[in-house]
């Protein structure tokens, strides 16, 4: 039986390497892609068609400034007449040496990119891992951007990543191209401070804006760039100082207040120091693995944005408190001020449905998670406490759980409370927390739970259909035969849940297959509607074998058909 075309395309998309930063040399990503797709294309005509769609959809040009080395699939697309299949272009510049605009133009021309009109390409991704592009020759830089503009007439989305930026202005050499495409540009992502040479009128068409490293190394001066708030639909600002964040934005001429009239999604990742990036602002997300420095770092004074710099995050000095009448989703990470007060800014957003909060325990006080001001419209909540909690944090953890589960209208909840010593820390999750959360349909919980707590939790949530549990600490069972013997001698268990259909489980480190089989086999017997089970990769084969043994034993004869139909698969981490 042949695979359907859409399934075949999904397989090819999953199997081929797609990330450019996985490889150590500029040519490696292209070579990996070709090594997989070209042989696969020879299987049949259907496979060739599916492979070509993947091979030519993304044009890749990788340039090493330290040598003449370059890798690209552009010439291959042109030679095979597949230019019309291209939809996005990725340019990666790496090496220790800087590169002149004329040299970059020559290399892109040599790859076959310039001089051809790529009408279907709407997305441009530039990743720069080299020293700053030399800008002394303004004319050469203008010619380079002009040729790119001619080659990409349908460009609507631009992402520029400068991985060696030290948060200085003037490194985004694509500014002339952005200016030429100002009326067509729909999304922009830059890894630098606010672009200094683009006027607000040139950003009016942008609907999605993502700026990493908003550090204000230079104070905003009168007349400096300020983004128009009323055109944005999605906004992400990373590494922002918590004082004066709204001074980035302007309302239309004559407006008396700052209104983000069309903004649907807002993500703010506030400034924090990383011990891996000395003397520079970190742009890592709050759920990364970096270790934050203490708040007494001298760089706070250097930048003038210390934690004690005042409540400037509540209002603009020009417009006062901003308004977000169309906001649907809000993410706040590593906020260093009064979180509860900050969230009050969004209490008047009538359409807010999703809220994501992340930070250290000191940045997420339990009292700040009294979300009564967002009821009943808030439907999805995610709370992640960054870093390991200690036994001394038990009171905090219990208070946080009580607040989070008290939002009765929630349908989706994700909560992460990671204890350094798991259940050995002495923390016990009480299922009673969930008594007020009867509307939950999806729950992801990272906390030290035992088997009794899991069963109690399920009984408290009558509408739950999807459950993901991490850091479980179950009682190990030496063998499947011993477990079946125990089940045979025990009275039939009452269903723990009649609504749950999908379950994902990741046991604490060291639990191994013995821990998975004990907990999960007992659970599947108490979940009559379960049909999808995801576990760690090293437990998949063992668990499939255990489920088959359970069916063969006849211990759960009434559920035999359901148990045989359960799909056990690997949990994607």
């Amino acid at each position: 039986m042949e695979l359907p075309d859409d399934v075949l395309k999904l397989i090819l998309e999953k199997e081929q390497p797609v990330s450019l930063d996985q490889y150590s040399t500029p040519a490696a990503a292209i070579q990996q892609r070709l090594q997989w797709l070209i042989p696969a294309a020879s299987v049949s005509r259907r496979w060739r068609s599916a492979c070509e769609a993947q091979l030519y959809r993304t044009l890749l040009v990788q340039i090493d400034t330290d040598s003449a080395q370059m890798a690209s699939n552009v010439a291959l697309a042109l030679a095979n007449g597949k230019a019309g299949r291209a939809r996005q272009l990725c340019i990666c510049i790496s090496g220790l040496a800087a590169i002149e605009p004329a040299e970059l133009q020559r290399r892109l021309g040599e790859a076959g990119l310039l001089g051809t009109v790529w009408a279907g390409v709407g997305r441009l991704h530039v990743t720069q891992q080299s020293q700053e592009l030399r800008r002394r020759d303004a004319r050469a830089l203008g010619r380079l951007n002009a040729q790119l503009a001619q080659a990409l007439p349908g460009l609507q989305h631009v992402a520029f990543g400068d991985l060696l930026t030290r948060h200085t202005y003037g490194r985004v050499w694509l500014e002339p191209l952005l200016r030429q495409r100002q009326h067509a540009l729909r999304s922009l992502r830059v890894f630098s401070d606010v672009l200094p040479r683009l006027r607000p009128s040139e950003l009016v068409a942008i609907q999605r804006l993502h700026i990493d490293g908003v550090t204000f190394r230079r104070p905003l001066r009168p007349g400096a760039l300020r983004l128009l708030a009323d055109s944005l639909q999605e906004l992400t600002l990373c590494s922002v100082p918590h004082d004066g964040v709204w001074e980035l934005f302007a309302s239309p001429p004559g407006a008396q207040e700052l209104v983000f009239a069309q903004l649907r999604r807002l993500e703010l990742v506030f400034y924090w120091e990383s011990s891996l990036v000395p003397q520079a602002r970190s742009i890592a997300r709050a759920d990364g693995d970096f270790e934050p420095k203490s708040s007494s770092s001298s760089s706070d004074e250097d930048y003038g944005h210390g934690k004690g710099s005042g409540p400037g995050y509540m209002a603009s000095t020009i417009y006062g408190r901003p308004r977000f009448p169309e906001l649907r989703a809000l993410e706040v990470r590593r906020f260093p001020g009064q979180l509860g007060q900050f969230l009050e800014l969004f209490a008047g957003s009538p359409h807010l449905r999703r809220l994501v909060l992340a930070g250290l325990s000191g940045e997420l006080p339990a009292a700040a998670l009294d979300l009564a001001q967002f009821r009943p419209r808030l439907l999805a909540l995610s709370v992640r406490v960054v870093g390991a909690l200690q036994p001394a944090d038990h009171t905090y953890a219990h208070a946080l759980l009580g607040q989070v589960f008290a939002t009765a209208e929630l349908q989706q909840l994700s909560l992460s409370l990671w204890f350094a010593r798991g259940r050995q820390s002495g923390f016990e999750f009480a299922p009673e927390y969930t008594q007020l959360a009867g509307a939950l349909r999806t729950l992801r919980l990272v906390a030290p739970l035992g088997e009794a707590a899991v069963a109690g939790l399920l009984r408290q949530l009558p509408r739950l259909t999807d459950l993901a549990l991490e850091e479980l600490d179950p009682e190990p069972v030496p063998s499947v035969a011993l477990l079946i013997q125990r089940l045979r001698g025990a009275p039939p268990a009452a269903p723990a849940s009649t609504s749950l259909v999908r379950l994902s489980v990741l046991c604490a480190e060291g639990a191994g297959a013995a821990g998975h089989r004990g907990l999960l086999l007992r659970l599947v017997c108490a979940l009559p509607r379960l049909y999808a089970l995801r576990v760690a990769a090293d437990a998949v084969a063992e668990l499939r074998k255990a489920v088959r043994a359970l069916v063969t034993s006849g211990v759960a004869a009434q559920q035999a058909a359901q148990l045989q139909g359960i799909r056990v698969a690997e949990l994607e981490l």
Side-chain angles (χ1 to χ4, degrees):
M1 182 179 68
E2 290 190 346
L3 291 173
D5 290 346
D6 54 347
V7 175
L8 179 58
K9 290 179 180 179
L10 286 174
I11 293 174
L12 294 173
E13 289 175 357
K14 182 176 177 61
E15 290 300 325
Q16 64 172 311
V18 294
S19 177
L20 301 184
D21 57 6
Q22 298 176 21
Y23 307 99
S24 57
T25 64
I30 302 293
Q31 293 170 350
Q32 290 279 346
R33 182 176 291 236
L34 294 178
Q35 287 173 2
W36 161 248
L37 286 174
I38 291 179
S42 63
V43 172
S44 67
R45 291 183 178 179
R46 290 180 63 251
W47 277 62
R48 183 183 307 120
S49 177
C51 288
E52 286 179 349
Q54 298 303 317
L55 180 59
Y56 303 120
R57 180 180 179 83
T58 300
L59 301 175
L60 298 168
V61 181
Q62 297 199 17
I63 297 171
D64 184 358
T65 63
D66 295 330
S67 68
Q69 187 178 19
M70 185 169 61
S72 174
N73 64 340
V74 174
L76 187 64
L78 291 172
N80 292 330
K82 304 299 181 181
R85 289 181 176 264
R87 294 296 179 265
Q88 65 178 344
L89 166 64
C90 296
I91 300 175
C92 178
I93 305 171
S94 62
L96 299 177
I99 187 170
E100 299 283 353
E103 173 64 12
L104 178 57
Q105 181 178 347
R106 185 190 69 78
R107 295 230 194 167
L108 293 177
E110 182 181 321
L113 183 66
L114 305 180
T116 300
V117 176
W118 304 88
V121 174
R123 297 180 179 275
L124 171 63
H125 302 263
V126 176
T127 302
Q128 187 167 324
Q129 304 177 64
S130 65
Q131 296 299 317
E132 181 177 359
L133 186 72
R134 299 187 185 278
R135 306 175 59 93
R136 290 173 297 186
D137 190 344
R139 291 184 178 180
L141 193 63
R143 289 193 295 270
L144 169 62
N145 279 270
Q147 284 210 307
L148 280 173
Q150 293 174 4
L152 308 172
L155 189 63
Q156 293 185 338
H157 310 279
V158 175
F160 184 94
D162 185 348
L163 301 188
L164 294 184
T165 183
R166 303 305 287 183
H167 307 292
T168 58
Y169 291 96
R171 290 182 58 97
V172 185
W173 52 266
L174 285 175
E175 285 174 6
L177 173 63
L178 300 179
R179 187 171 292 115
Q180 292 185 45
R181 301 298 305 167
Q182 59 182 275
H183 298 297
L185 205 61
R186 293 295 177 264
S187 71
L188 173 64
R189 177 169 184 168
V190 289
F191 189 105
S192 69
D193 281 318
V194 179
L195 308 183
R197 284 182 276 278
L198 292 177
R199 296 180 293 274
S201 60
E202 296 173 335
L203 295 172
V204 68
I206 291 180
Q207 299 170 352
R208 295 189 296 277
L209 178 65
H210 185 135
I211 303 179
D212 289 304
V214 183
T215 58
F216 302 118
R217 191 176 182 91
R218 298 177 183 178
L220 285 174
R221 302 176 301 279
L225 168 67
R226 298 175 69 233
L227 305 169
L228 288 179
D230 63 338
S231 62
L232 292 170
Q233 294 183 11
E234 297 182 14
L235 173 63
T236 299
L237 300 176
C238 292
S239 199
V240 297
H242 69 283
D243 193 24
V245 60
W246 308 121
E247 304 310 320
L248 272 173
F249 302 96
S251 281
Q256 300 299 312
E257 59 180 348
L258 183 62
V259 181
F260 291 81
Q262 301 184 62
L263 194 67
R264 267 61 169 178
R265 179 182 176 276
L266 173 63
E267 180 178 0
L268 299 172
V269 182
F270 285 85
Y271 155 73
W272 61 297
E273 278 290 330
S274 165
S275 60
L276 301 184
V277 190
Q279 298 180 355
R281 303 247 183 209
S282 167
I283 50 80
R285 294 172 63 91
D287 50 3
D289 295 325
F290 297 110
E291 178 183 356
K293 288 184 177 179
S294 70
S295 59
S296 61
S297 172
S298 61
S299 62
D300 276 345
E301 287 80 24
D302 295 340
Y303 283 88
H305 293 293
K307 289 190 176 183
S309 56
Y313 51 84
M314 291 300 295
S316 162
T317 57
I318 301 174
Y319 297 100
R321 290 169 67 98
R323 292 199 300 113
F324 308 86
E326 296 297 325
L327 193 65
R328 266 70 169 172
L330 171 65
E331 298 189 28
V332 181
R333 303 174 188 269
R334 298 305 310 272
F335 183 71
Q338 298 296 321
L339 180 62
Q341 186 182 13
F342 182 70
L343 293 179
E344 290 177 5
L345 280 177
F346 309 95
S349 302
H351 305 294
L352 187 63
R353 299 289 185 268
R354 182 174 183 269
L355 176 62
V356 176
L357 303 172
L360 300 172
S361 57
E363 297 164 342
L364 292 176
L369 296 181
D370 181 359
L371 303 177
Q373 58 188 332
F374 297 111
R375 299 173 63 182
R377 58 191 184 279
L378 189 66
L379 301 179
L381 174 65
S382 175
V383 178
R384 178 183 175 92
V385 179
V386 180
L389 296 176
Q390 305 298 329
D393 297 313
H394 284 191
T395 301
Y396 165 75
H398 287 299
L400 187 68
L401 286 165
Q403 289 283 34
V404 167
F405 280 104
T407 308
E409 295 82 2
L410 283 179
Q411 296 182 9
Q412 301 177 27
L413 174 62
S414 175
L415 177 61
S416 177
L417 289 170
W418 184 69
F419 280 83
R421 298 174 59 198
R423 294 187 69 200
Q424 294 180 6
S425 68
F427 178 80
E428 291 290 342
F429 179 88
E432 289 74 19
Y433 289 129
T434 63
Q435 288 179 348
L436 299 177
L440 274 181
R441 298 181 182 276
T442 301
L443 173 62
R444 176 181 177 268
L445 186 59
V446 181
L449 274 72
E451 188 171 337
V454 174
L457 180 148
L458 287 169
R459 293 189 178 95
Q460 296 281 1
L461 301 174
R463 299 184 181 180
L464 196 67
T465 59
D466 294 78
L467 177 62
L469 299 171
E470 297 183 29
E471 292 301 310
L472 292 188
D473 192 4
E475 175 190 352
V477 176
S479 68
V480 176
L482 178 59
L483 175 62
I484 291 175
Q485 182 180 349
R486 293 178 181 177
L487 291 174
R488 196 186 302 276
S497 172
T498 57
S499 60
L500 195 74
V501 295
R502 286 174 290 271
L503 174 64
S504 300
V505 171
L506 190 62
C507 290
E509 185 176 357
H516 279 84
R517 77 164 75 97
L519 169 67
L520 294 174
L521 285 187
R522 283 187 288 264
L523 272 181
V524 296
C525 291
L527 299 172
R529 294 192 59 196
L530 186 73
Y531 68 79
L533 178 59
R534 293 188 177 274
V535 294
D538 58 355
V540 172
E542 173 72 17
L543 194 56
R544 287 174 177 168
K545 179 181 177 182
V547 171
R548 288 195 298 268
L550 185 63
V551 173
T552 304
S553 70
V555 170
Q558 295 181 347
Q559 292 180 248
Q562 178 240 342
L563 292 174
Q564 288 176 324
I566 292 178
R567 299 198 303 268
V568 180
E570 178 182 346
L571 179 63
E572 296 183 3
L573 302 178

